[in-house]
Amino acid sequence: MHKVGAAAVVLIALLSGCATQHTGTEHYQPLIAQGGKDVMWMPTANNLVTEMLEAAHVTATDVVYDLGAGDGKIPIEAARRFGARAVGIEFNPDLAALARRNAQQAGVSDRVTIVTGDIFKEDFSHATVVTLYLLTQLNIKLKPTLLSLKPGTRIVSNTFAMGSWEPDATILAEGEVSGYFWVVPANVAGRWTFTGIPNWSTAQVKITQKSQKFDGDVIIEQTFSQRIEGRLLGAQISFEFHDDQNQPQTFVGIVSANKIHGTIKQIPGSVVIATKVP
Ligand SMILES: C[S@@+](CC[C@H](N)C(=O)[O-])C[C@H]1O[C@@H](n2cnc3c(N)ncnc32)[C@H](O)[C@@H]1O
């Protein structure tokens, strides 16, 4: 018993010797699973970093924010492989300093910024892509801020989902889900007046939205109504309805603030415009 205990102490001493952190110095080496403010440090595997950035369709025009950036590997790869500008927000100042050194060594410090700060306080409203490796409950806590980002902003999360906000896609590795992908939907909740639907001068549509899905009532020329269900992918909106001949039709459009410009898929050349009722 005592022998085993002594061996364990020696092993721990050896391991901790190997893993000396030298906090605050350029020799700082983080320890896998070391504590963090809201979640520990655990780096995303290299192949998954690439898969996440590919799933988010990152290009050189993007501004990628990694929330809880650790050693900076996601922002560094976003800049190095995809040519994006990238910002990492990291609470631990030693990790943040390490991430800056890593960006320097990778030759991308002109495109990578590491902010020492709290992801719940820092501004990331300029992001076009957000990457996460946190926890489901932290993703859920971030959800209102993420949903307030510009429609079309892409979000990708290693391992953890976001509660009731269903993903728009999943990342699969060997048949297992290893990540989730969302596109911030436009906000279309409320009442809209549609013009240009053939044979109907106007249609009033009242929409109730839940993340990227919505349902609503279409009231046609104040006479009869029908129930619709639809979805959003960023600013792209679509829903099915039945026309005056009871034929199924599909409206597809683009939301831009208080207007939607679209068409009926089955009627080439049709122009349908919706205006938000204030
Ligand atoms: C699981 S690690 C992910 C690191 C990196 N994003 C990656 O995928 O390799 C989570 C990181 O979030 C940091 N963190 C925890 N709470 C934070 C907070 N409130 N604000 C900023 N960073 C935080 C931790 O220090 C840790 O480095």
Side-chain angles (χ1 to χ4, degrees):
M1 221 17 213
H2 281 295
K3 268 192 179 164
V4 172
V9 168
V10 170
L11 184 61
I12 289 165
L14 279 173
L15 284 173
S16 56
C18 294
T20 302
Q21 291 200 58
H22 300 291
T23 300
T25 77
E26 63 191 27
H27 302 294
Y28 172 75
Q29 287 288 334
L31 304 176
I32 296 284
Q34 71 180 32
K37 180 177 177 285
D38 293 297
V39 60
M40 66 183 174
W41 176 64
M42 180 70 71
T44 296
N46 293 345
N47 60 333
L48 187 52
V49 171
T50 310
E51 283 168 23
M52 286 167 71
L53 295 170
E54 281 174 354
H57 314 293
V58 172
T59 71
T61 62
D62 277 311
V63 181
V64 178
Y65 271 74
D66 186 31
L67 305 189
D71 64 1
K73 65 191 299 184
I74 292 182
I76 290 168
E77 194 65 354
R80 183 167 51 188
R81 188 188 278 253
F82 299 89
R85 281 192 295 131
V87 181
I89 302 175
E90 172 54 52
F91 191 80
N92 178 326
D94 290 317
L95 271 171
L98 174 65
R100 280 182 211 110
R101 287 196 296 278
N102 288 344
Q104 185 95 41
Q105 270 169 22
V108 291
S109 54
D110 57 332
R111 272 172 290 143
V112 172
T113 305
I114 304 294
V115 175
T116 309
D118 189 330
I119 56 173
F120 295 104
K121 295 193 177 141
E122 297 296 327
D123 174 25
F124 53 92
S125 58
H126 296 295
T128 60
V129 173
V130 175
T131 59
L132 307 167
Y133 184 19
L134 300 168
L135 293 167
T136 301
Q137 64 266 33
L138 297 181
N139 290 354
I140 290 170
K141 196 172 162 191
L142 284 167
K143 187 174 141 187
T145 313
L146 294 169
L147 277 169
S148 74
L149 296 175
K150 196 169 170 290
T153 303
R154 290 145 281 151
I155 302 163
V156 66
S157 169
N158 178 349
T159 305
F160 298 102
M162 197 142 14
S164 61
W165 186 3
E166 289 174 19
D168 291 298
T170 50
I171 303 171
L172 294 176
E174 292 165 10
E176 300 277 308
V177 174
S178 58
Y180 298 93
F181 171 74
W182 299 262
V183 182
V184 173
N187 180 3
V188 292
R191 287 173 50 227
W192 296 81
T193 302
F194 278 67
T195 55
I197 299 175
N199 300 328
W200 289 328
S201 60
T202 59
Q204 305 295 324
V205 182
K206 188 165 174 250
I207 291 179
T208 305
Q209 183 173 354
K210 199 174 162 214
S211 305
Q212 71 274 62
K213 290 184 179 174
F214 63 85
D215 54 38
D217 292 303
V218 183
I219 300 161
I220 297 122
E221 291 170 354
Q222 297 182 341
T223 49
F224 67 102
S225 75
Q226 61 178 279
R227 201 84 188 130
I228 53 156
E229 287 181 356
R231 60 184 300 132
L232 291 140
L233 188 69
Q236 297 168 37
I237 182 171
S238 61
F239 63 82
E240 313 278 327
F241 67 100
H242 284 82
D243 67 11
D244 60 333
Q245 306 297 312
N246 207 25
Q247 292 301 307
Q249 306 284 3
T250 310
F251 172 76
V252 288
I254 300 287
V255 185
S256 164
N258 292 335
K259 290 268 182 203
I260 304 174
H261 294 263
T263 188
I264 309 294
K265 221 169 157 182
Q266 294 83 350
I267 310 174
S270 56
V271 176
V272 177
I273 294 174
T275 307
K276 187 104 184 260
V277 180

